[in-house]
Amino acid sequence: MEEAAFSAGDTAWILTASALVLMMTVPGLALFYGGMVRKTSVLSTLMHSLAAAGLVTLTWAVAGYSLALTGEGSFIGGFDRLFLSGLEPGSDADGLPEPVFILFQLTFAIITVAIVSGAAAERLSFKAWVIFVPVWLLTVYAPIAYWVWGGGFLDEAGVIDFAGGAVVHINSGVAGLVLALVLGPRRGWPKEGHPPHNLVLTVIGAGMLWVGWFGFNGGSALAADEIAAHAALVTQIAAATAAVVWCALEWALRGKPTVLGAASGAVAGLVAITPAAGFVSAQAAFALGAAGAIAAYFAVTGLKAALKYDDSLDAFGLHGIAGFVGAVLTGVFAVEAIGGTAGALEGNWTLVWTQTWGALAAAAWCAVITFLILFLLGRVVTLRVDEEAEITGVDVALHGESA
């Protein structure tokens, strides 16, 4: 096999981006989530992210990559890369050495799964999580990734998702909501408060997420080019705008801006810009960041209380809601001169509808299959820890350790 000539700059950038995105999960998301739970549950929360990194990597190498990003069907990928068979020197994937492409896409799968765990913090059985992760990856994440990025029916229909609005954020947010509903609320919630035990950890984690997002969005150009640079710039603008807007809402409505609010706002803005980063102008990044913050703020502070679901660490509120807003607004603000697709502001109102039904299709598949997985899993193992473990904290009960 004749080896392809690859750009050293592109390869180096995507290797770097892969490291940045992996950092978003361990330690970024692990600390972001870990700081928000009680001290007696922090190790269990960290372990969800660590386990996701290990289990998803193995599942991705065995079958996940092959099903998600190879093949030519409309609904699911092929079997050519099971156990990464056929991977040879010179193998090409989107102009990159295929091992680099596999690694980069793996890091997205890892963080998607890890985000889901935030909805079930402090009450999810670790045994159930270990089984849930590979099954969910193959039956939910892989098909949706294929629909959007692998040439599946959403891609064919014109849905655009630069770095994972539907594949990562809507997907993980909806799965988190289903998981929270199936498990039920934490003991005593909402009457008993569950205040964060260490917001310093949460802010450190949020900072790592913010920095890592340059690899997340910038790397999704799959090249060290001007689209990567543009994606990085609009990512920064949206995150900063959202953090400021969230704090302004807290200040106006609750009297004080909080540290947790600033961190949450930044994440909401990062989520909202994700599907749009390579398609919209710098000016649109302000609107996307603000819209993501406003929608996520009211989901976290109002919708959750009104509908009485205990999404412990707001996986659905931050990722599902802001991800949906970002996906739809991508259809409004997309600029043909930037990403090759015109949005509503350039006269293509059809794209708004395409983005909307595409996001809903991903959400529907995720909700139904996630529920079925949990329903069947609950017949095999206990999904939730016992009451004594919840009262004393799950770290000792599940892992025999304490922070």
Side-chain angles (χ1 to χ4, degrees):
M1 179 177 180
E2 183 179 348
E3 293 192 19
F6 299 110
S7 164
D10 292 347
T11 302
W13 165 231
I14 303 306
L15 281 170
T16 302
S18 299
L20 287 169
V21 181
L22 180 60
M23 182 193 72
M24 291 173 68
T25 302
V26 283
L29 186 74
L31 292 175
F32 181 70
Y33 277 173
M36 286 193 280
V37 296
R38 294 177 299 168
K39 185 177 180 180
T40 52
S41 301
V42 61
L43 295 181
S44 169
T45 303
L46 297 176
M47 190 63 167
H48 286 150
S49 292
L50 286 168
L55 292 168
V56 171
T57 297
L58 297 179
T59 309
W60 189 252
V62 171
Y65 169 67
S66 192
L67 294 175
L69 294 167
T70 72
E72 298 179 352
S74 294
F75 295 98
I76 194 66
F79 301 100
D80 291 345
R81 288 290 187 265
L82 293 181
F83 287 91
L84 301 183
S85 61
L87 189 63
E88 301 174 357
S91 295
D92 179 287
D94 280 344
L96 292 166
E98 192 171 7
V100 179
F101 182 75
I102 293 169
L103 178 64
F104 181 62
Q105 296 296 341
L106 163 63
T107 62
F108 280 68
I110 289 171
I111 195 167
T112 304
V113 172
I115 290 167
V116 176
S117 69
E122 302 192 273
R123 62 200 188 279
L124 177 62
S125 158
F126 186 67
K127 182 182 293 184
W129 179 243
V130 168
I131 301 172
F132 174 84
V133 168
V135 175
W136 189 87
L137 184 81
L138 295 177
T139 59
V140 179
Y141 183 86
I144 292 176
Y146 184 77
W147 297 352
V148 178
W149 290 336
F153 78 95
L154 292 183
D155 183 34
E156 293 173 349
V159 172
I160 56 175
D161 186 354
F162 189 73
V167 178
V168 176
H169 298 296
I170 294 174
N171 202 6
S172 60
V174 170
L177 176 62
V178 173
L179 182 56
L181 291 172
V182 170
L183 288 178
R186 286 166 289 179
R187 183 182 178 278
W189 185 91
K191 290 183 180 180
E192 294 181 16
H194 291 74
H197 91 282
N198 191 333
L199 284 177
V200 173
L201 294 182
T202 295
V203 173
I204 293 171
M208 290 178 170
L209 286 169
W210 192 332
V211 172
W213 229 287
F214 289 106
F216 197 87
N217 287 354
S220 291
L222 298 180
D225 59 14
E226 61 180 318
I227 295 298
H230 180 84
L233 175 62
V234 298
T235 296
Q236 178 67 15
I237 292 171
T241 301
V244 171
V245 168
W246 190 296
C247 287
L249 286 169
E250 284 188 322
W251 216 334
L253 300 176
R254 301 195 167 197
K256 294 178 182 178
T258 66
V259 173
L260 180 59
S264 299
V267 171
L270 291 163
V271 170
I273 196 63
T274 290
F279 299 112
V280 304
S281 68
Q283 293 74 33
F286 291 96
L288 279 155
I294 292 168
Y297 176 85
F298 286 107
V300 168
T301 61
L303 184 66
K304 182 165 70 171
L307 299 183
K308 295 182 172 58
Y309 60 87
D310 185 15
D311 174 12
S312 310
L313 308 180
D314 298 312
F316 177 69
L318 289 180
H319 296 272
I321 295 297
F324 185 81
V325 168
V328 174
L329 290 182
T330 300
V332 174
F333 292 108
V335 176
E336 186 172 8
I338 296 175
T341 303
L345 295 185
E346 293 187 332
N348 183 19
W349 283 94
T350 304
L351 185 59
V352 178
W353 165 241
T354 301
Q355 292 294 102
T356 302
W357 78 256
L360 291 174
W365 177 265
C366 176
V368 171
I369 303 303
T370 300
F371 176 78
L372 287 175
I373 293 170
L374 293 171
F375 176 79
L376 295 174
L377 185 55
R379 299 298 181 270
V380 180
V381 299
T382 301
L383 296 178
R384 182 168 176 154
V385 300
D386 60 37
E387 184 175 4
E388 182 180 354
E390 277 196 70
I391 293 171
T392 59
V394 294
D395 287 355
V396 173
L398 295 181
H399 305 293
E401 300 168 301
S402 60

